[in-house]
């Protein structure tokens, strides 16, 4: 039996309407008024913590209704990383309520603050910090209100169980304390946060709130959304990028059973039907009827490193210390990474409806507000008439096809006003048209001093920006394919603290002489965007592989060699812990087995992660299997230990898959890796026998994020284990069977 779920939601005006609610914060008009009335000579106010600095009024974050119910708002989205559970824990801790008593509303342009993208492992740093501080300030406001009513000092009261309680047991419920004069309170830079030793909820492994629906078959994903009167659509994609639709007779398709409409705008072509399989059948017939002119405009895949070098337009200096002299014995190596997919197990999906008051889109986008602006630009609509609501999808790991599916649904919904339109991509479309993780090339040079330390270090990378996320219509396929096509603006070199293509290119190690250069590529032959960890995956792979080679040249143990170049005590702690738990010092070498180690501090400002792996190599087949992986991670203050372990384990498995199997393939015209046979991923039989995640406790420290910390260290640790097992270094990803056999000489 098909379930119908109406997720149409309500407007922000309805959310905030009425009396008897404490809403601490968000008001565009209020923010503008406060800005207009500020004295010209006022000094800059102290920075607000986390995302409060962008949405400084607290009613973006916390709502307390007259009946005592509590709603928490976040602009971040659940991507399978368990963020809903962690954010509920943070709010519950500071509000002194049970987690189950909080209703969390995730990203929705009609209800929540604009927190940009859920990316870069920053949800806890930004949204978690904002919600924690907002909740703590709400608690203190409620205590102050109760103190006034009871005629006692605030210090004599405590928050407990959705009430403010006095020493004699007298209590006033949260709902009784709300009043109109409390509806608009600006956040303060400092909050009275609870001390780690008093935590009841934070630090506990609570079950994830998003799991039950997923394992019981209840509606959980945007794919499950069913609205009254909904129709199904499929898009006919061009056979290759740059193709032009030169001929189409759609009359036979329009006459097919259930077909509602054929929608064409330039090279954008879609069919709409009453039932899903009718749409699939019509799509296939429409694809057969369409005539395309293709152009062979893709480079020779076997010459990809040379192609990347030829695309260089500018060189930026990421870091420079001292003067690398490179006298004496110089060690150097070149590493490469291919284009790689997000490879979501479920194809992208979205639902849209054009109503009298505007367009509503349900999408697994990582940024509802950027997607809102991009879709509005594409359709020439005011942004306030476009509402984008996040619903979970099948995993995105960066900028995959979710935003494009949302744009497809929006384009088609405009042609069928009043009818909800559901668009789901086909597998071959997902593989051929999602934005890929960019190919990269990295060159490293170094010299060693007589003391066995690195004296000179030079690192050169060839990469683009790694992100073309929605920020304009040009990032959407539908806008690129329509008759009035939108052309992407030229990419610009931008060196920032967090980095993008250059992320983690500047190692945390201490070298007396260092230079890091980014050879910037404004354009790529294939469509690319953000894939989990951005440039950090390839940069850490190159740096940590080379560190092992230098350790070998210095006749030093790889772990000890890293420690002699690390000053950061938290870095040293995770390196030491991972090595100890792996049993590094007691390792017994065996034929066909190797061990590898790697470390990185993600973005040099987020989580610390060190990893040791044991890998088995079959010389006859070239097959590499990671037998076990032992990691240590420092993510700052721990909210949900299970969440940290889940994210780290998932990152380890995904990075193993990238490192051993994954590469986009293409000929001179088309993408050829359009299914799971031509784009293999890690299968269950190749999953390690054991994956350990050891968490370093840092009570009271800032949240550092977790999700992407493992990606780079895993690639290098696996590569180093293979090097240890076969005695040869493989510099090009993935470490495929063919490359392993070639290195061995089989």
């Amino acid at each position: 039996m098909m379930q119908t779920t109406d997720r149409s939601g309500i407007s922000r005006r309805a959310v905030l309407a009425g009396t008897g609610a404490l809403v601490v914060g968000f008001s565009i008009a209020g923010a503008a008024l406060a800005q207009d009335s500020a004295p010209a000579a006022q000094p800059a106010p102290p920075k607000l913590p986390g995302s409060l600095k962008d949405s400084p009024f607290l009613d973006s974050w916390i709502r307390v209704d007259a009946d005592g119910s509590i709603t928490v708002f976040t602009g971040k989205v659940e991507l399978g990383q368990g963020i809903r559970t962690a954010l509920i824990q943070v709010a519950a801790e500071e509000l002194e309520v049970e987690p189950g008593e909080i209703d969390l509303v995730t990203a929705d342009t009609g209800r929540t603050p604009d927190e940009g993208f859920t990316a870069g492992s920053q949800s806890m740093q930004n949204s978690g910090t904002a919600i924690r501080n907002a909740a703590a300030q709400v608690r203190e406001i409620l205590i102050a209100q109760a103190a006034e009513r009871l005629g006692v000092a605030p210090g004599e009261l405590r928050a407990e169980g959705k009430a403010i309680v006095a020493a004699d047991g007298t209590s006033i419920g949260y709902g009784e304390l709300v009043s109109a004069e409390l509806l608009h309170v600006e956040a303060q830079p400092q909050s009275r946060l609870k001390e780690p030793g008093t935590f009841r909820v934070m630090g506990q492994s609570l079950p994830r709130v998003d799991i039950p629906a997923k394992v019981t078959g209840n509606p959980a994903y945007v794919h499950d959304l069913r609205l009254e009167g909904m129709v199904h659509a499929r898009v006919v994609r061009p056979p290759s990028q740059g193709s032009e639709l030169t001929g189409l007779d759609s009359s036979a398709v329009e006459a097919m059973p259930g077909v509602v409409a054929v929608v064409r705008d330039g090279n954008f072509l879609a069919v709409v039907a009453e039932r899903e399989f009718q749409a699939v059948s019509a799509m296939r017939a429409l694809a057969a009827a369409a005539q395309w002119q293709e152009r062979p405009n893709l480079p020779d895949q076997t010459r990809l490193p040379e192609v990347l070098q030829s695309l260089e337009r500018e060189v930026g200096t990421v870091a420079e210390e001292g003067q690398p002299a490179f006298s004496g014995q110089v060690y150097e190596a070149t590493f490469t990474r291919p284009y790689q997919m997000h490879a979501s197990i479920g194809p992208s999906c979205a639902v849209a409806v054009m109503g009298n008051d505007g367009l509503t889109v349900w999408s697994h986008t990582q940024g509802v507000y950027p997607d809102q602006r991009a879709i509005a630009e594409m359709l020439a609509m005011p942004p306030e008439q476009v509402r984008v609501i996040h619903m979970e999808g099948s995993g995105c790991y960066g900028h995959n096809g979710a935003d494009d599916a949302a744009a497809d649904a929006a384009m088609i919904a405009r042609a069928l006003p009043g009818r909800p339109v559901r668009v789901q991509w086909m597998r071959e479309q997902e593989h051929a048209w999602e934005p890929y993780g960019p190919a990269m090339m990295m060159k490293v040079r170094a010299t060693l001093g007589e003391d066995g330390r690195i004296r000179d270090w030079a690192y050169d990378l060839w990469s683009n920006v790694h992100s073309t996320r929605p920020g304009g219509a040009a990032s959407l396929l539908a806008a690129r394919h329509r008759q009035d096509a939108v052309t992407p603006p030229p990419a610009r070199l931008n060196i920032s603290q967090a980095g993008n293509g250059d992320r983690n290119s500047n190692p945390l190690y201490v070298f007396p002489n260092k230079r890091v250069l980014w050879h910037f590529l404004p354009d790529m032959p294939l469509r690319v965007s953000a894939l989990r960890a951005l440039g950090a995956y390839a940069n850490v792979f190159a740096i940590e592989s080379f560190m092992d080679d230098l350790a070998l040249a210095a006749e030093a143990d790889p772990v000890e060699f890293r420690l002699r170049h690390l000053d950061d005590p938290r870095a040293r702690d995770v390196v030491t812990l991972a090595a100890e738990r792996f049993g590094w010092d007691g390792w017994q070498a065996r034929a066909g087995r190797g061990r590898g180690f790697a470390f990185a501090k993600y973005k040099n400002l987020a989580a610390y992660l060190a990893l040791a792996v044991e890998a088995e190599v079959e010389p006859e087949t070239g097959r590499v299997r990671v037998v076990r992986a032992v990691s240590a991670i420092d993510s700052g203050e721990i909210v949900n230990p299970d969440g940290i372990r889940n994210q780290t384990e998932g990152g380890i498995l995904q990075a193993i898959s990238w490192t051993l199997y994954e590469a986009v393939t293409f000929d001179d015209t088309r993408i050829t890796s359009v299914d799971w046979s031509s784009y293999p991923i890690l299968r269950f039989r190749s999953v390690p026998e054991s994956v350990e995640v050891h968490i370093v406790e840092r009570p009271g420290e800032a949240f550092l994020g977790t999700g992407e910390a493992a990606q780079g260290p895993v690639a290098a640790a696996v590569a180093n284990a293979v090097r240890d097992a076969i005695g040869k270094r493989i510099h090009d990803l993935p470490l495929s069977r063919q490359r392993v056999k070639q290195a061995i000489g089989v």
Side-chain angles (χ1 to χ4, degrees):
M1 179 179 177
M2 181 174 290
Q3 290 184 308
T4 301
T5 306
D6 187 347
R7 299 286 182 88
S8 57
I10 55 178
S11 70
R12 182 170 179 81
R13 182 180 298 277
V15 171
L16 300 181
T19 60
L22 165 63
V23 187
V24 196
F26 175 62
S27 169
I28 295 174
L33 183 63
Q35 186 179 34
D36 292 342
S37 61
Q42 282 281 343
K47 269 192 173 183
L48 294 174
S51 292
L52 284 174
K53 64 181 180 295
D54 300 313
S55 297
F57 287 83
L58 301 177
D59 69 348
S60 306
W61 310 97
I62 308 289
R63 175 183 173 92
V64 179
D65 286 306
D67 62 1
S69 60
I70 300 170
T71 306
V72 174
F73 302 92
T74 175
K76 298 298 185 181
V77 303
E78 178 65 65
L79 304 171
Q81 79 277 43
I83 194 63
R84 285 175 57 196
T85 307
L87 293 179
I88 287 172
Q89 287 182 256
V90 166
E93 187 66 68
E94 295 295 347
L95 289 171
E96 296 288 9
V97 300
E98 295 303 315
E101 295 176 312
I102 288 180
D103 178 27
L104 180 74
V105 177
T106 60
D108 175 346
T109 60
R111 302 184 69 185
T112 64
D114 182 354
E115 292 196 82
F117 296 104
T118 302
S121 299
Q122 296 181 93
S123 292
M124 290 305 297
Q125 292 170 289
N126 295 338
S127 202
T129 299
I131 289 172
R132 185 180 180 191
N133 280 270
Q137 292 185 30
V138 168
R139 183 191 69 232
E140 294 306 307
I141 290 170
L142 293 170
I143 288 175
Q145 285 295 107
E148 185 176 340
R149 289 200 192 182
L150 297 174
V152 299
E156 298 178 28
L157 302 175
R158 70 181 188 279
E160 181 181 304
K162 298 173 72 172
I164 304 301
V165 183
D168 62 1
T170 303
S171 67
I172 305 178
Y174 285 180
E176 301 174 64
L177 291 167
V178 296
S179 59
E181 63 266 22
L182 294 177
L183 293 179
H184 198 66
V185 179
E186 188 171 358
Q188 300 301 306
Q190 299 296 323
S191 305
R192 193 187 297 271
L193 301 176
K194 292 181 62 178
E195 293 294 327
T198 67
F199 290 166
R200 299 180 308 105
V201 183
M202 285 175 59
Q204 303 300 312
S205 290
L206 266 62
R208 276 175 49 174
V209 298
D210 59 308
I211 296 297
K214 295 173 180 176
V215 299
T216 56
N218 286 314
Y221 300 107
V222 65
H223 305 69
D224 303 322
L225 182 60
R226 299 293 185 270
L227 301 176
E228 185 177 353
M230 188 176 79
V231 291
H232 297 267
R234 286 293 191 275
V235 176
V236 175
R237 292 286 178 219
S240 58
Q241 64 180 27
S243 299
E244 182 180 352
L245 183 58
T246 56
L248 176 68
D249 180 358
S250 61
S251 56
V253 175
E254 291 168 2
M256 291 178 69
V259 171
V260 175
V262 171
V263 178
R264 179 186 176 184
D265 186 346
N267 293 321
F268 180 83
L269 183 61
V271 62
V272 186
E274 295 287 351
R275 297 180 180 275
E276 186 167 15
F277 192 69
Q278 291 173 335
V280 172
S281 300
M283 176 204 69
R284 290 171 177 159
L286 192 62
Q291 299 172 24
W292 300 89
Q293 180 180 352
E294 294 187 79
R295 299 175 179 85
N297 56 8
L298 297 182
D300 182 352
Q301 187 171 5
T302 62
R303 298 182 57 255
L304 194 53
E306 297 97 301
V307 171
L308 295 178
Q309 287 181 292
S310 71
L311 294 172
E312 176 187 321
R313 294 295 180 271
E314 187 178 356
V315 180
T317 302
V318 178
E320 192 167 23
E321 298 175 21
Q323 294 292 329
F326 294 105
S327 58
Q329 177 66 52
V330 178
Y331 302 90
E332 53 189 338
T334 300
F335 300 86
T336 67
R337 169 206 179 170
Y339 293 100
Q340 293 177 314
M341 294 183 190
H342 300 80
S344 303
I345 295 296
S348 295
C349 180
V351 177
V353 59
M354 182 70 80
N356 294 329
D357 57 349
L359 175 72
T360 302
V361 181
W362 291 263
S363 170
H364 188 44
T365 177
Q366 286 187 282
V368 291
Y369 280 94
D371 207 23
Q372 174 197 45
R373 293 186 285 269
I375 290 172
E377 180 189 347
M378 178 182 73
L379 300 181
M381 294 177 64
E384 59 269 19
Q385 290 184 12
V386 177
R387 181 180 179 186
V388 179
I389 303 170
H390 178 265
M391 281 191 71
E392 287 190 67
S394 52
C396 51
Y397 326 111
H399 176 198
N400 70 344
D403 298 282
D404 293 313
D408 294 341
M411 283 273 286
I412 300 166
R414 180 178 63 173
L416 295 169
R419 298 209 69 176
V421 176
R422 178 182 182 271
V423 173
Q424 181 170 309
W425 285 14
M426 307 298 286
R427 169 51 51 196
E428 62 272 16
Q429 294 175 339
E430 189 81 25
H431 272 41
W433 284 101
E434 66 147 88
Y436 303 129
M440 292 177 64
M441 185 175 77
M442 299 74 61
K443 289 187 176 182
V444 200
R445 300 178 70 216
T447 60
L448 291 169
E450 294 181 359
D451 58 356
R453 292 175 179 267
I454 297 170
R455 184 178 62 203
D456 303 300
W457 178 274
Y459 187 86
D460 293 76
L461 70 128
W462 282 259
S463 174
N464 74 322
V465 296
H466 279 244
S467 184
T468 58
R469 294 179 184 276
S475 61
L476 304 173
L477 280 178
R480 294 188 184 190
H481 289 165
R482 70 183 188 182
Q483 184 66 42
D484 186 16
V486 182
T487 304
R492 295 182 178 179
L493 175 68
N494 178 30
I495 297 174
S496 63
Q497 186 179 16
N500 40 77
D502 62 320
R503 183 171 292 177
N504 275 98
S505 60
N506 182 20
L508 197 67
Y509 301 112
V510 178
F511 307 140
N513 303 295
K514 174 173 63 177
R515 185 183 66 247
V516 179
L517 299 179
W518 181 3
H519 301 259
F520 181 66
L521 321 179
D523 301 304
M524 276 281 191
L526 304 184
R527 183 184 182 220
V528 295
S529 192
L531 177 60
R532 196 176 191 181
L534 278 65
Y537 169 70
N539 287 323
V540 175
F541 160 69
I543 290 167
E544 289 294 294
S545 295
F546 199 59
M547 286 294 288
D548 252 41
D549 291 344
L550 291 175
L552 185 66
E555 300 181 350
D557 175 82
V559 172
E560 188 278 324
F561 187 74
R562 286 170 171 81
L563 288 172
R564 73 173 66 163
H565 291 92
L566 282 172
D567 284 351
D568 188 324
R570 293 173 72 169
R572 295 178 63 87
D573 285 348
V574 295
V575 168
T576 301
L577 180 60
E580 287 178 352
R581 296 302 175 91
F582 179 82
W584 189 267
D585 290 340
W587 165 263
Q588 297 294 320
R590 286 189 284 167
R593 290 281 179 107
R595 61 174 180 170
F597 197 91
F599 156 81
K601 180 183 181 184
Y602 184 49
K603 297 186 287 190
N604 286 358
L605 48 78
Y608 300 80
L609 186 135
L611 178 85
V613 303
E614 178 180 355
E616 178 182 63
V617 181
E618 296 177 355
E620 299 83 4
T621 65
R623 178 174 182 252
V624 176
R625 184 174 73 94
V626 177
V627 178
R628 65 185 180 113
V630 180
S631 65
I633 185 168
D634 176 353
S635 295
E637 181 83 72
I638 299 170
V639 174
N640 188 318
D642 254 4
I644 294 175
R645 291 190 186 93
N646 295 161
Q647 278 291 279
T648 306
E649 289 171 358
I652 289 170
L653 295 183
Q654 184 181 48
I656 289 174
S657 183
W658 289 354
T659 304
L660 297 182
Y661 305 105
E662 299 186 37
V664 174
T665 59
F666 50 90
D667 57 26
D668 64 356
T669 306
R670 296 184 178 186
I671 302 298
T672 56
S673 49
V674 293
D675 54 29
W676 296 120
S677 295
S678 51
Y679 191 86
I681 60 174
L682 183 75
R683 302 298 178 99
F684 282 113
R685 71 186 187 94
S686 298
V687 169
E689 297 170 7
S690 172
V691 177
E692 297 178 25
V693 179
H694 301 281
I695 305 171
V696 178
E697 295 188 10
R698 297 292 183 190
E701 295 286 353
F703 301 135
L704 293 182
T706 298
E708 298 167 304
Q711 306 307 115
V714 169
V718 172
N720 290 335
V722 172
R723 163 72 177 79
D724 188 44
I726 68 174
K728 298 286 182 65
R729 169 67 65 190
I730 300 175
H731 297 87
D732 304 305
L733 292 171
L735 310 181
S736 63
R737 293 187 180 209
Q738 293 79 5
R739 283 184 171 137
V740 171
K741 290 171 65 176
Q742 184 179 15
I744 295 173
V746 175

